[in-house]
Amino acid sequence: IAALLGACENDPGPAGARDAAIIAILYAAGLRRDEIVSLDLEDYNQESGRLLVRGKRNKQRTSYLLNGASRALDDWLDVRGMDPGPLFMPINRGGSIQTRRMTAQAIYNVLLVRAGEAGVSDFSPHDLRRTFISDLLDAGADIAIVAKMAGHANVQTTARYDRRPEEAKMQAAQRLHVPYHGRKK
């Protein structure tokens, strides 16, 4: 993620700011490509970082963009402007922002280009969503909360993303206290 964002930071054009915001949001909110292209400016509250996401089957959920994710989006908004409309828009070769919605395929293409620039191989845009879920679970977030954040209707779907090692299970087991002191002799 750092390498992808670094590739964007090295691009002084408007696409650098846009692409950094896309990558930051895909990771920080765990969005699918279809979800990020459906975002409108009005879905984001700049003061609170609240982002309204429309997911599969038109279900809505709330995400929060904080720290680097909000900074990346703020940088893009400085370039994009605050006119209503799609949050992310195509940029032509001349650097002009096109006032229309990007497609999921355009997001895919942007991510592959940035992965190439960053020297990241074997990259899939869905890796950002998988990493979002895994990193939250690694940080100790409750799986039910992570499922809600990811827009999963079933916690079992979220559990399939869980890549934590056996050591994490041992650490979890150590949090329990069994009040047995042994037999008196």
Side-chain angles (χ1 to χ4, degrees):
I1 293 166
L4 293 169
L5 291 171
C8 298
E9 290 171 345
N10 290 332
D11 179 348
R18 181 202 60 196
D19 298 353
I22 288 170
I23 292 164
I25 292 172
L26 286 171
Y27 170 65
L31 300 189
R32 300 169 180 98
R33 286 183 293 139
D34 286 342
E35 293 170 339
I36 200 159
V37 298
S38 70
L39 292 173
D40 291 319
L41 179 64
E42 68 185 28
D43 295 328
Y44 178 58
N45 180 313
Q46 210 167 3
E47 284 184 31
S48 67
R50 184 176 186 268
L51 183 69
L52 180 63
V53 179
R54 286 173 294 289
K56 286 184 175 179
R57 293 174 291 283
N58 262 349
K59 289 185 180 177
Q60 291 187 354
R61 68 182 187 275
T62 300
S63 290
Y64 290 91
L65 303 180
L66 307 171
N67 56 57
S70 67
R71 282 191 297 278
L73 185 51
D74 289 347
D75 283 352
W76 165 239
L77 292 177
D78 286 345
V79 174
R80 177 203 178 279
M82 300 305 285
D83 292 337
L87 188 56
F88 294 105
M89 298 180 255
I91 298 169
N92 70 17
R93 294 186 195 278
S96 296
I97 298 171
Q98 307 297 297
T99 310
R100 60 183 165 87
R101 196 171 299 282
M102 292 180 75
T103 64
Q105 183 62 46
I107 298 291
Y108 182 84
N109 294 342
V110 160
L111 294 174
L112 290 185
V113 166
R114 294 302 180 179
E117 292 172 355
V120 177
S121 59
D122 296 326
F123 174 75
S124 157
H126 200 70
D127 290 341
L128 293 170
R129 183 169 168 80
R130 275 191 285 275
T131 304
F132 159 79
I133 292 169
S134 293
D135 285 357
L136 284 172
L137 293 172
D138 283 345
D142 181 85
I143 194 165
I145 297 296
V146 176
K148 287 179 184 177
M149 292 173 73
H152 289 155
N154 188 325
V155 174
Q156 292 300 336
T157 305
T158 309
R160 288 196 306 251
Y161 287 79
D162 192 356
R163 299 181 305 205
R164 290 175 289 178
E166 287 299 312
E167 183 179 320
K169 293 177 188 174
M170 187 186 320
Q171 289 173 354
Q174 288 174 341
R175 292 182 181 135
L176 295 175
H177 173 69
V178 177
Y180 180 75
H181 301 290
R183 292 178 47 175
K184 294 185 169 82
K185 298 182 183 185

